[in-house]
Amino acid sequence: MSKKKKTGSFKDNLVARSKEASTVRKIVSIILIALILILVIGGISGFLYVKSALEPVNSESDEQITVEVPIGSSTSTIANILEENGIIKDGRIFRFYTKFNNESEFQAGEYTFTPAVTFDEIIESLKNGRVYIEPIHTVTIPEGLTVDQIADIFSETFAFTKGEFLEQVNDETYVGKLIASYPDLLSDAILNQEIRTPLEGYLFASTYDFYKEEPSIESIIEAMLTQTQKVYSNYAADLEQIDFTTHEAITFASLVERETASEEQRQQISRVFYNRLDAGMPLQTDPTVLYALGEHNETVTYDDLEIESPYNTYYIEALPIGPISNFAENSLKAVLEPAESDYLYFLHDSEGNIYYAETHDEHLQNRDQYLN
């Protein structure tokens, strides 16, 4: 009896151990499979992440992003700068890529990239100290131009027509979206029904590079507004101190711009305008009359001075309702830093020289001497 019990107990133990071993094997198998799956999934995910990080941030974008690489910057520092400015997706991947390809000796300086740039193009640029991607189009917009004239220039370069450009800049729905996108620059003042063109004066005079064969009208407008905002932000706080709204400051700058191309003369003319406003006198600047007429004439007749328009500074005793052209940065600076004088009058001779006077009698003498 005792022997049978021992035999039965041994068999039971053997079966139990067999079951335990089987369970352990199953658990180990499950763990191994799970680990393998984790490794495979992790490997695939890692591969896809690295693959994505090696690709351009946005191959369709032609946005220009300027970065400064300081002297003595390490590859790690450069990678961080590129990542922070949205030129690459992951600085670590860029560091590994340059190390794997044995790339170094990058040069300090200012670089302009787009989110469409590749790692190889960035490396080539940093090694040569120049922008690697060449623009497809470069368009220069001079100072003192109206939106109508700007539309002419762009329509000569790209496939859209002047009419299509003007339609876009005058679209109230689109302009409303721009006001929301550029709250520090644009305001509801530009939607006044008496304003001829809402974005007049806000499309900055500069040279623009385009990396697409046919950029959209919207991308052109927004590149110009971004440049205006960038320049204006340097003076915004100080202009607010003299109680100018952004719209008024840009309007003032456009008047200064249209009167002369000389930086020194701009400061003098700015002071004349301030003096006349302080004295309650109309500004009486001919470019506002021409703008009110919608013409690009070189001279103004006495009949022209009578036009009843919120732009005509012979008709109103204040700044016009809005800008009459775009402006150069030093015109805006002249609004903030006018010359010191008591001049109330000025005139141009046939060679472009400007003569100032403190009184009307002196002004008439200048007219007789230099014009008649």
Side-chain angles (χ1 to χ4, degrees), residues 25 35 54 61 66 78 86 100 126 168 188 202 206 213 234 263 293 305 312 314 317-318 320 358:
R25 284 195 296 272
L35 289 172
L54 290 170
S61 174
T66 300
I78 294 172
F100 181 79
L126 292 169
Q168 188 67 52
D188 290 338
Y202 290 89
S206 186
E213 185 64 40
N234 295 327
E263 182 172 358
L293 293 168
L305 302 181
N312 179 8
Y314 284 83
E317 295 182 358
E358 293 184 11

mmCIF file with all atom_site columns, all heavy atoms in Angstrom, residues 25 35 54 61 66 78 86 100 126 168 188 202 206 213 234 263 293 305 312 314 317-318 320 358:
data_model
loop_
_atom_site.group_PDB
_atom_site.id
_atom_site.type_symbol
_atom_site.label_atom_id
_atom_site.label_alt_id
_atom_site.label_comp_id
_atom_site.label_asym_id
_atom_site.label_entity_id
_atom_site.label_seq_id
_atom_site.pdbx_PDB_ins_code
_atom_site.Cartn_x
_atom_site.Cartn_y
_atom_site.Cartn_z
_atom_site.occupancy
_atom_site.B_iso_or_equiv
_atom_site.pdbx_formal_charge
_atom_site.auth_seq_id
_atom_site.auth_comp_id
_atom_site.auth_asym_id
_atom_site.auth_atom_id
_atom_site.pdbx_PDB_model_num
ATOM 1   N N   . ARG A 1 25  ? 7.644   27.255  -20.773 1.00 0.00 ? 25  ARG A N   1
ATOM 2   C CA  . ARG A 1 25  ? 8.027   27.371  -22.182 1.00 0.00 ? 25  ARG A CA  1
ATOM 3   C C   . ARG A 1 25  ? 7.091   28.316  -22.927 1.00 0.00 ? 25  ARG A C   1
ATOM 4   O O   . ARG A 1 25  ? 7.517   29.115  -23.761 1.00 0.00 ? 25  ARG A O   1
ATOM 5   C CB  . ARG A 1 25  ? 8.039   25.979  -22.837 1.00 0.00 ? 25  ARG A CB  1
ATOM 6   C CG  . ARG A 1 25  ? 9.248   25.136  -22.462 1.00 0.00 ? 25  ARG A CG  1
ATOM 7   C CD  . ARG A 1 25  ? 9.392   23.948  -23.408 1.00 0.00 ? 25  ARG A CD  1
ATOM 8   N NE  . ARG A 1 25  ? 8.267   23.035  -23.308 1.00 0.00 ? 25  ARG A NE  1
ATOM 9   C CZ  . ARG A 1 25  ? 8.189   22.024  -22.463 1.00 0.00 ? 25  ARG A CZ  1
ATOM 10  N NH1 . ARG A 1 25  ? 9.207   21.814  -21.604 1.00 0.00 ? 25  ARG A NH1 1
ATOM 11  N NH2 . ARG A 1 25  ? 7.140   21.232  -22.435 1.00 0.00 ? 25  ARG A NH2 1
ATOM 12  N N   . LEU A 1 35  ? 9.243   40.351  -27.337 1.00 0.00 ? 35  LEU A N   1
ATOM 13  C CA  . LEU A 1 35  ? 10.496  41.087  -27.490 1.00 0.00 ? 35  LEU A CA  1
ATOM 14  C C   . LEU A 1 35  ? 10.862  41.256  -28.958 1.00 0.00 ? 35  LEU A C   1
ATOM 15  O O   . LEU A 1 35  ? 11.316  42.324  -29.389 1.00 0.00 ? 35  LEU A O   1
ATOM 16  C CB  . LEU A 1 35  ? 11.628  40.384  -26.731 1.00 0.00 ? 35  LEU A CB  1
ATOM 17  C CG  . LEU A 1 35  ? 11.568  40.458  -25.206 1.00 0.00 ? 35  LEU A CG  1
ATOM 18  C CD1 . LEU A 1 35  ? 12.641  39.559  -24.599 1.00 0.00 ? 35  LEU A CD1 1
ATOM 19  C CD2 . LEU A 1 35  ? 11.760  41.907  -24.753 1.00 0.00 ? 35  LEU A CD2 1
ATOM 20  N N   . LEU A 1 54  ? 15.595  62.565  -42.510 1.00 0.00 ? 54  LEU A N   1
ATOM 21  C CA  . LEU A 1 54  ? 16.575  62.836  -43.566 1.00 0.00 ? 54  LEU A CA  1
ATOM 22  C C   . LEU A 1 54  ? 15.961  63.603  -44.741 1.00 0.00 ? 54  LEU A C   1
ATOM 23  O O   . LEU A 1 54  ? 16.681  64.170  -45.561 1.00 0.00 ? 54  LEU A O   1
ATOM 24  C CB  . LEU A 1 54  ? 17.179  61.523  -44.085 1.00 0.00 ? 54  LEU A CB  1
ATOM 25  C CG  . LEU A 1 54  ? 18.115  60.783  -43.126 1.00 0.00 ? 54  LEU A CG  1
ATOM 26  C CD1 . LEU A 1 54  ? 18.434  59.400  -43.661 1.00 0.00 ? 54  LEU A CD1 1
ATOM 27  C CD2 . LEU A 1 54  ? 19.403  61.574  -42.908 1.00 0.00 ? 54  LEU A CD2 1
ATOM 28  N N   . SER A 1 61  ? 7.648   74.025  -50.007 1.00 0.00 ? 61  SER A N   1
ATOM 29  C CA  . SER A 1 61  ? 7.732   75.386  -49.479 1.00 0.00 ? 61  SER A CA  1
ATOM 30  C C   . SER A 1 61  ? 8.875   76.172  -50.119 1.00 0.00 ? 61  SER A C   1
ATOM 31  O O   . SER A 1 61  ? 9.967   75.645  -50.348 1.00 0.00 ? 61  SER A O   1
ATOM 32  C CB  . SER A 1 61  ? 7.939   75.358  -47.963 1.00 0.00 ? 61  SER A CB  1
ATOM 33  O OG  . SER A 1 61  ? 8.144   76.650  -47.468 1.00 0.00 ? 61  SER A OG  1
ATOM 34  N N   . THR A 1 66  ? 16.303  82.896  -42.837 1.00 0.00 ? 66  THR A N   1
ATOM 35  C CA  . THR A 1 66  ? 17.692  83.335  -42.673 1.00 0.00 ? 66  THR A CA  1
ATOM 36  C C   . THR A 1 66  ? 18.176  82.990  -41.263 1.00 0.00 ? 66  THR A C   1
ATOM 37  O O   . THR A 1 66  ? 17.490  83.284  -40.283 1.00 0.00 ? 66  THR A O   1
ATOM 38  C CB  . THR A 1 66  ? 17.813  84.843  -42.916 1.00 0.00 ? 66  THR A CB  1
ATOM 39  O OG1 . THR A 1 66  ? 17.382  85.143  -44.244 1.00 0.00 ? 66  THR A OG1 1
ATOM 40  C CG2 . THR A 1 66  ? 19.254  85.301  -42.753 1.00 0.00 ? 66  THR A CG2 1
ATOM 41  N N   . ILE A 1 78  ? 25.234  74.053  -34.745 1.00 0.00 ? 78  ILE A N   1
ATOM 42  C CA  . ILE A 1 78  ? 24.629  74.324  -36.060 1.00 0.00 ? 78  ILE A CA  1
ATOM 43  C C   . ILE A 1 78  ? 23.355  73.513  -36.230 1.00 0.00 ? 78  ILE A C   1
ATOM 44  O O   . ILE A 1 78  ? 22.333  74.022  -36.704 1.00 0.00 ? 78  ILE A O   1
ATOM 45  C CB  . ILE A 1 78  ? 25.635  74.008  -37.188 1.00 0.00 ? 78  ILE A CB  1
ATOM 46  C CG1 . ILE A 1 78  ? 26.823  74.971  -37.113 1.00 0.00 ? 78  ILE A CG1 1
ATOM 47  C CG2 . ILE A 1 78  ? 24.956  74.092  -38.552 1.00 0.00 ? 78  ILE A CG2 1
ATOM 48  C CD1 . ILE A 1 78  ? 27.956  74.635  -38.061 1.00 0.00 ? 78  ILE A CD1 1
ATOM 49  N N   . GLY A 1 86  ? 13.346  75.525  -38.094 1.00 0.00 ? 86  GLY A N   1
ATOM 50  C CA  . GLY A 1 86  ? 12.464  74.774  -38.981 1.00 0.00 ? 86  GLY A CA  1
ATOM 51  C C   . GLY A 1 86  ? 13.066  74.420  -40.325 1.00 0.00 ? 86  GLY A C   1
ATOM 52  O O   . GLY A 1 86  ? 12.340  74.152  -41.286 1.00 0.00 ? 86  GLY A O   1
ATOM 53  N N   . PHE A 1 100 ? 28.735  60.500  -39.955 1.00 0.00 ? 100 PHE A N   1
ATOM 54  C CA  . PHE A 1 100 ? 28.832  59.291  -40.778 1.00 0.00 ? 100 PHE A CA  1
ATOM 55  C C   . PHE A 1 100 ? 29.499  59.589  -42.119 1.00 0.00 ? 100 PHE A C   1
ATOM 56  O O   . PHE A 1 100 ? 30.255  58.764  -42.650 1.00 0.00 ? 100 PHE A O   1
ATOM 57  C CB  . PHE A 1 100 ? 27.426  58.723  -41.009 1.00 0.00 ? 100 PHE A CB  1
ATOM 58  C CG  . PHE A 1 100 ? 27.403  57.460  -41.815 1.00 0.00 ? 100 PHE A CG  1
ATOM 59  C CD1 . PHE A 1 100 ? 27.705  56.235  -41.242 1.00 0.00 ? 100 PHE A CD1 1
ATOM 60  C CD2 . PHE A 1 100 ? 27.090  57.492  -43.164 1.00 0.00 ? 100 PHE A CD2 1
ATOM 61  C CE1 . PHE A 1 100 ? 27.690  55.061  -41.991 1.00 0.00 ? 100 PHE A CE1 1
ATOM 62  C CE2 . PHE A 1 100 ? 27.077  56.334  -43.934 1.00 0.00 ? 100 PHE A CE2 1
ATOM 63  C CZ  . PHE A 1 100 ? 27.371  55.108  -43.336 1.00 0.00 ? 100 PHE A CZ  1
ATOM 64  N N   . LEU A 1 126 ? 27.047  75.171  -46.156 1.00 0.00 ? 126 LEU A N   1
ATOM 65  C CA  . LEU A 1 126 ? 27.831  75.502  -44.972 1.00 0.00 ? 126 LEU A CA  1
ATOM 66  C C   . LEU A 1 126 ? 29.336  75.364  -45.224 1.00 0.00 ? 126 LEU A C   1
ATOM 67  O O   . LEU A 1 126 ? 30.132  76.097  -44.649 1.00 0.00 ? 126 LEU A O   1
ATOM 68  C CB  . LEU A 1 126 ? 27.421  74.594  -43.809 1.00 0.00 ? 126 LEU A CB  1
ATOM 69  C CG  . LEU A 1 126 ? 26.011  74.812  -43.248 1.00 0.00 ? 126 LEU A CG  1
ATOM 70  C CD1 . LEU A 1 126 ? 25.635  73.688  -42.291 1.00 0.00 ? 126 LEU A CD1 1
ATOM 71  C CD2 . LEU A 1 126 ? 25.917  76.165  -42.543 1.00 0.00 ? 126 LEU A CD2 1
ATOM 72  N N   . GLN A 1 168 ? -6.679  90.191  -56.190 1.00 0.00 ? 168 GLN A N   1
ATOM 73  C CA  . GLN A 1 168 ? -6.329  89.526  -54.928 1.00 0.00 ? 168 GLN A CA  1
ATOM 74  C C   . GLN A 1 168 ? -6.074  90.551  -53.820 1.00 0.00 ? 168 GLN A C   1
ATOM 75  O O   . GLN A 1 168 ? -6.565  90.401  -52.694 1.00 0.00 ? 168 GLN A O   1
ATOM 76  C CB  . GLN A 1 168 ? -5.086  88.664  -55.124 1.00 0.00 ? 168 GLN A CB  1
ATOM 77  C CG  . GLN A 1 168 ? -4.747  87.782  -53.940 1.00 0.00 ? 168 GLN A CG  1
ATOM 78  C CD  . GLN A 1 168 ? -5.784  86.693  -53.701 1.00 0.00 ? 168 GLN A CD  1
ATOM 79  O OE1 . GLN A 1 168 ? -6.131  85.953  -54.612 1.00 0.00 ? 168 GLN A OE1 1
ATOM 80  N NE2 . GLN A 1 168 ? -6.293  86.617  -52.489 1.00 0.00 ? 168 GLN A NE2 1
ATOM 81  N N   . ASP A 1 188 ? -8.056  97.447  -39.116 1.00 0.00 ? 188 ASP A N   1
ATOM 82  C CA  . ASP A 1 188 ? -9.294  97.675  -39.860 1.00 0.00 ? 188 ASP A CA  1
ATOM 83  C C   . ASP A 1 188 ? -9.294  99.011  -40.593 1.00 0.00 ? 188 ASP A C   1
ATOM 84  O O   . ASP A 1 188 ? -10.151 99.243  -41.449 1.00 0.00 ? 188 ASP A O   1
ATOM 85  C CB  . ASP A 1 188 ? -10.499 97.616  -38.910 1.00 0.00 ? 188 ASP A CB  1
ATOM 86  C CG  . ASP A 1 188 ? -10.767 96.199  -38.409 1.00 0.00 ? 188 ASP A CG  1
ATOM 87  O OD1 . ASP A 1 188 ? -10.336 95.252  -39.088 1.00 0.00 ? 188 ASP A OD1 1
ATOM 88  O OD2 . ASP A 1 188 ? -11.407 96.043  -37.358 1.00 0.00 ? 188 ASP A OD2 1
ATOM 89  N N   . TYR A 1 202 ? 1.851   98.971  -47.951 1.00 0.00 ? 202 TYR A N   1
ATOM 90  C CA  . TYR A 1 202 ? 2.260   97.882  -47.055 1.00 0.00 ? 202 TYR A CA  1
ATOM 91  C C   . TYR A 1 202 ? 3.096   96.803  -47.753 1.00 0.00 ? 202 TYR A C   1
ATOM 92  O O   . TYR A 1 202 ? 3.566   95.878  -47.094 1.00 0.00 ? 202 TYR A O   1
ATOM 93  C CB  . TYR A 1 202 ? 1.032   97.242  -46.416 1.00 0.00 ? 202 TYR A CB  1
ATOM 94  C CG  . TYR A 1 202 ? 0.343   98.128  -45.406 1.00 0.00 ? 202 TYR A CG  1
ATOM 95  C CD1 . TYR A 1 202 ? -0.650  99.022  -45.783 1.00 0.00 ? 202 TYR A CD1 1
ATOM 96  C CD2 . TYR A 1 202 ? 0.692   98.083  -44.057 1.00 0.00 ? 202 TYR A CD2 1
ATOM 97  C CE1 . TYR A 1 202 ? -1.286  99.844  -44.860 1.00 0.00 ? 202 TYR A CE1 1
ATOM 98  C CE2 . TYR A 1 202 ? 0.070   98.905  -43.115 1.00 0.00 ? 202 TYR A CE2 1
ATOM 99  C CZ  . TYR A 1 202 ? -0.919  99.783  -43.529 1.00 0.00 ? 202 TYR A CZ  1
ATOM 100 O OH  . TYR A 1 202 ? -1.530  100.598 -42.607 1.00 0.00 ? 202 TYR A OH  1
ATOM 101 N N   . SER A 1 206 ? 11.777  95.992  -51.888 1.00 0.00 ? 206 SER A N   1
ATOM 102 C CA  . SER A 1 206 ? 12.935  95.147  -51.601 1.00 0.00 ? 206 SER A CA  1
ATOM 103 C C   . SER A 1 206 ? 13.177  94.229  -52.796 1.00 0.00 ? 206 SER A C   1
ATOM 104 O O   . SER A 1 206 ? 12.436  94.267  -53.784 1.00 0.00 ? 206 SER A O   1
ATOM 105 C CB  . SER A 1 206 ? 12.688  94.311  -50.338 1.00 0.00 ? 206 SER A CB  1
ATOM 106 O OG  . SER A 1 206 ? 13.842  93.595  -49.969 1.00 0.00 ? 206 SER A OG  1
ATOM 107 N N   . GLU A 1 213 ? 8.772   78.036  -59.822 1.00 0.00 ? 213 GLU A N   1
ATOM 108 C CA  . GLU A 1 213 ? 8.595   78.619  -61.155 1.00 0.00 ? 213 GLU A CA  1
ATOM 109 C C   . GLU A 1 213 ? 7.411   79.568  -61.175 1.00 0.00 ? 213 GLU A C   1
ATOM 110 O O   . GLU A 1 213 ? 7.473   80.648  -61.760 1.00 0.00 ? 213 GLU A O   1
ATOM 111 C CB  . GLU A 1 213 ? 8.408   77.498  -62.195 1.00 0.00 ? 213 GLU A CB  1
ATOM 112 C CG  . GLU A 1 213 ? 8.324   78.000  -63.639 1.00 0.00 ? 213 GLU A CG  1
ATOM 113 C CD  . GLU A 1 213 ? 9.601   78.666  -64.105 1.00 0.00 ? 213 GLU A CD  1
ATOM 114 O OE1 . GLU A 1 213 ? 10.695  78.175  -63.778 1.00 0.00 ? 213 GLU A OE1 1
ATOM 115 O OE2 . GLU A 1 213 ? 9.483   79.711  -64.791 1.00 0.00 ? 213 GLU A OE2 1
ATOM 116 N N   . ASN A 1 234 ? 11.159  97.413  -36.018 1.00 0.00 ? 234 ASN A N   1
ATOM 117 C CA  . ASN A 1 234 ? 12.344  98.073  -35.463 1.00 0.00 ? 234 ASN A CA  1
ATOM 118 C C   . ASN A 1 234 ? 12.022  99.469  -34.930 1.00 0.00 ? 234 ASN A C   1
ATOM 119 O O   . ASN A 1 234 ? 12.796  100.032 -34.144 1.00 0.00 ? 234 ASN A O   1
ATOM 120 C CB  . ASN A 1 234 ? 13.437  98.184  -36.531 1.00 0.00 ? 234 ASN A CB  1
ATOM 121 C CG  . ASN A 1 234 ? 13.957  96.832  -36.971 1.00 0.00 ? 234 ASN A CG  1
ATOM 122 O OD1 . ASN A 1 234 ? 14.012  95.896  -36.184 1.00 0.00 ? 234 ASN A OD1 1
ATOM 123 N ND2 . ASN A 1 234 ? 14.330  96.711  -38.234 1.00 0.00 ? 234 ASN A ND2 1
ATOM 124 N N   . GLU A 1 263 ? 18.244  110.780 -48.246 1.00 0.00 ? 263 GLU A N   1
ATOM 125 C CA  . GLU A 1 263 ? 17.979  110.503 -46.834 1.00 0.00 ? 263 GLU A CA  1
ATOM 126 C C   . GLU A 1 263 ? 18.000  111.783 -46.012 1.00 0.00 ? 263 GLU A C   1
ATOM 127 O O   . GLU A 1 263 ? 17.138  112.008 -45.153 1.00 0.00 ? 263 GLU A O   1
ATOM 128 C CB  . GLU A 1 263 ? 19.012  109.514 -46.286 1.00 0.00 ? 263 GLU A CB  1
ATOM 129 C CG  . GLU A 1 263 ? 18.761  109.138 -44.829 1.00 0.00 ? 263 GLU A CG  1
ATOM 130 C CD  . GLU A 1 263 ? 19.667  108.019 -44.353 1.00 0.00 ? 263 GLU A CD  1
ATOM 131 O OE1 . GLU A 1 263 ? 20.464  107.496 -45.157 1.00 0.00 ? 263 GLU A OE1 1
ATOM 132 O OE2 . GLU A 1 263 ? 19.588  107.693 -43.159 1.00 0.00 ? 263 GLU A OE2 1
ATOM 133 N N   . LEU A 1 293 ? -5.819  111.737 -58.140 1.00 0.00 ? 293 LEU A N   1
ATOM 134 C CA  . LEU A 1 293 ? -6.244  111.728 -59.537 1.00 0.00 ? 293 LEU A CA  1
ATOM 135 C C   . LEU A 1 293 ? -6.099  110.343 -60.169 1.00 0.00 ? 293 LEU A C   1
ATOM 136 O O   . LEU A 1 293 ? -6.705  110.069 -61.208 1.00 0.00 ? 293 LEU A O   1
ATOM 137 C CB  . LEU A 1 293 ? -5.411  112.735 -60.351 1.00 0.00 ? 293 LEU A CB  1
ATOM 138 C CG  . LEU A 1 293 ? -5.619  114.216 -60.028 1.00 0.00 ? 293 LEU A CG  1
ATOM 139 C CD1 . LEU A 1 293 ? -4.523  115.061 -60.685 1.00 0.00 ? 293 LEU A CD1 1
ATOM 140 C CD2 . LEU A 1 293 ? -6.999  114.663 -60.521 1.00 0.00 ? 293 LEU A CD2 1
ATOM 141 N N   . LEU A 1 305 ? -5.442  120.733 -58.070 1.00 0.00 ? 305 LEU A N   1
ATOM 142 C CA  . LEU A 1 305 ? -5.404  120.984 -56.633 1.00 0.00 ? 305 LEU A CA  1
ATOM 143 C C   . LEU A 1 305 ? -6.794  121.034 -56.013 1.00 0.00 ? 305 LEU A C   1
ATOM 144 O O   . LEU A 1 305 ? -6.933  120.895 -54.796 1.00 0.00 ? 305 LEU A O   1
ATOM 145 C CB  . LEU A 1 305 ? -4.680  122.302 -56.334 1.00 0.00 ? 305 LEU A CB  1
ATOM 146 C CG  . LEU A 1 305 ? -3.240  122.434 -56.840 1.00 0.00 ? 305 LEU A CG  1
ATOM 147 C CD1 . LEU A 1 305 ? -2.666  123.785 -56.432 1.00 0.00 ? 305 LEU A CD1 1
ATOM 148 C CD2 . LEU A 1 305 ? -2.364  121.313 -56.308 1.00 0.00 ? 305 LEU A CD2 1
ATOM 149 N N   . ASN A 1 312 ? -6.079  114.127 -51.072 1.00 0.00 ? 312 ASN A N   1
ATOM 150 C CA  . ASN A 1 312 ? -5.540  115.412 -51.532 1.00 0.00 ? 312 ASN A CA  1
ATOM 151 C C   . ASN A 1 312 ? -5.212  116.318 -50.349 1.00 0.00 ? 312 ASN A C   1
ATOM 152 O O   . ASN A 1 312 ? -6.106  116.838 -49.680 1.00 0.00 ? 312 ASN A O   1
ATOM 153 C CB  . ASN A 1 312 ? -6.553  116.097 -52.451 1.00 0.00 ? 312 ASN A CB  1
ATOM 154 C CG  . ASN A 1 312 ? -6.051  117.445 -52.941 1.00 0.00 ? 312 ASN A CG  1
ATOM 155 O OD1 . ASN A 1 312 ? -4.903  117.820 -52.728 1.00 0.00 ? 312 ASN A OD1 1
ATOM 156 N ND2 . ASN A 1 312 ? -6.916  118.180 -53.625 1.00 0.00 ? 312 ASN A ND2 1
ATOM 157 N N   . TYR A 1 314 ? -4.087  119.232 -50.334 1.00 0.00 ? 314 TYR A N   1
ATOM 158 C CA  . TYR A 1 314 ? -4.474  120.631 -50.530 1.00 0.00 ? 314 TYR A CA  1
ATOM 159 C C   . TYR A 1 314 ? -5.934  120.820 -50.113 1.00 0.00 ? 314 TYR A C   1
ATOM 160 O O   . TYR A 1 314 ? -6.352  121.932 -49.806 1.00 0.00 ? 314 TYR A O   1
ATOM 161 C CB  . TYR A 1 314 ? -4.313  121.041 -51.995 1.00 0.00 ? 314 TYR A CB  1
ATOM 162 C CG  . TYR A 1 314 ? -2.885  121.275 -52.421 1.00 0.00 ? 314 TYR A CG  1
ATOM 163 C CD1 . TYR A 1 314 ? -2.078  120.216 -52.800 1.00 0.00 ? 314 TYR A CD1 1
ATOM 164 C CD2 . TYR A 1 314 ? -2.346  122.559 -52.458 1.00 0.00 ? 314 TYR A CD2 1
ATOM 165 C CE1 . TYR A 1 314 ? -0.765  120.419 -53.197 1.00 0.00 ? 314 TYR A CE1 1
ATOM 166 C CE2 . TYR A 1 314 ? -1.033  122.780 -52.855 1.00 0.00 ? 314 TYR A CE2 1
ATOM 167 C CZ  . TYR A 1 314 ? -0.245  121.709 -53.226 1.00 0.00 ? 314 TYR A CZ  1
ATOM 168 O OH  . TYR A 1 314 ? 1.053   121.921 -53.613 1.00 0.00 ? 314 TYR A OH  1
ATOM 169 N N   . GLU A 1 317 ? -6.745  119.096 -44.151 1.00 0.00 ? 317 GLU A N   1
ATOM 170 C CA  . GLU A 1 317 ? -5.713  119.652 -43.278 1.00 0.00 ? 317 GLU A CA  1
ATOM 171 C C   . GLU A 1 317 ? -5.215  118.572 -42.315 1.00 0.00 ? 317 GLU A C   1
ATOM 172 O O   . GLU A 1 317 ? -5.235  118.735 -41.095 1.00 0.00 ? 317 GLU A O   1
ATOM 173 C CB  . GLU A 1 317 ? -6.262  120.860 -42.517 1.00 0.00 ? 317 GLU A CB  1
ATOM 174 C CG  . GLU A 1 317 ? -6.623  122.025 -43.415 1.00 0.00 ? 317 GLU A CG  1
ATOM 175 C CD  . GLU A 1 317 ? -7.114  123.233 -42.646 1.00 0.00 ? 317 GLU A CD  1
ATOM 176 O OE1 . GLU A 1 317 ? -7.201  123.137 -41.395 1.00 0.00 ? 317 GLU A OE1 1
ATOM 177 O OE2 . GLU A 1 317 ? -7.421  124.239 -43.283 1.00 0.00 ? 317 GLU A OE2 1
ATOM 178 N N   . ALA A 1 318 ? -4.790  117.485 -42.872 1.00 0.00 ? 318 ALA A N   1
ATOM 179 C CA  . ALA A 1 318 ? -4.315  116.361 -42.062 1.00 0.00 ? 318 ALA A CA  1
ATOM 180 C C   . ALA A 1 318 ? -3.551  115.405 -42.981 1.00 0.00 ? 318 ALA A C   1
ATOM 181 O O   . ALA A 1 318 ? -3.378  115.684 -44.178 1.00 0.00 ? 318 ALA A O   1
ATOM 182 C CB  . ALA A 1 318 ? -5.494  115.651 -41.414 1.00 0.00 ? 318 ALA A CB  1
ATOM 183 N N   . PRO A 1 320 ? -3.278  112.222 -45.338 1.00 0.00 ? 320 PRO A N   1
ATOM 184 C CA  . PRO A 1 320 ? -4.290  111.589 -46.183 1.00 0.00 ? 320 PRO A CA  1
ATOM 185 C C   . PRO A 1 320 ? -4.849  110.337 -45.510 1.00 0.00 ? 320 PRO A C   1
ATOM 186 O O   . PRO A 1 320 ? -4.306  109.852 -44.509 1.00 0.00 ? 320 PRO A O   1
ATOM 187 C CB  . PRO A 1 320 ? -3.537  111.255 -47.466 1.00 0.00 ? 320 PRO A CB  1
ATOM 188 C CG  . PRO A 1 320 ? -2.103  111.258 -47.097 1.00 0.00 ? 320 PRO A CG  1
ATOM 189 C CD  . PRO A 1 320 ? -1.961  112.236 -45.978 1.00 0.00 ? 320 PRO A CD  1
ATOM 190 N N   . GLU A 1 358 ? 10.994  129.537 -44.173 1.00 0.00 ? 358 GLU A N   1
ATOM 191 C CA  . GLU A 1 358 ? 10.222  129.600 -42.930 1.00 0.00 ? 358 GLU A CA  1
ATOM 192 C C   . GLU A 1 358 ? 8.935   130.390 -43.094 1.00 0.00 ? 358 GLU A C   1
ATOM 193 O O   . GLU A 1 358 ? 7.971   130.165 -42.370 1.00 0.00 ? 358 GLU A O   1
ATOM 194 C CB  . GLU A 1 358 ? 11.079  130.227 -41.821 1.00 0.00 ? 358 GLU A CB  1
ATOM 195 C CG  . GLU A 1 358 ? 12.263  129.355 -41.417 1.00 0.00 ? 358 GLU A CG  1
ATOM 196 C CD  . GLU A 1 358 ? 13.045  129.961 -40.254 1.00 0.00 ? 358 GLU A CD  1
ATOM 197 O OE1 . GLU A 1 358 ? 12.544  130.939 -39.642 1.00 0.00 ? 358 GLU A OE1 1
ATOM 198 O OE2 . GLU A 1 358 ? 14.155  129.457 -39.960 1.00 0.00 ? 358 GLU A OE2 1
#
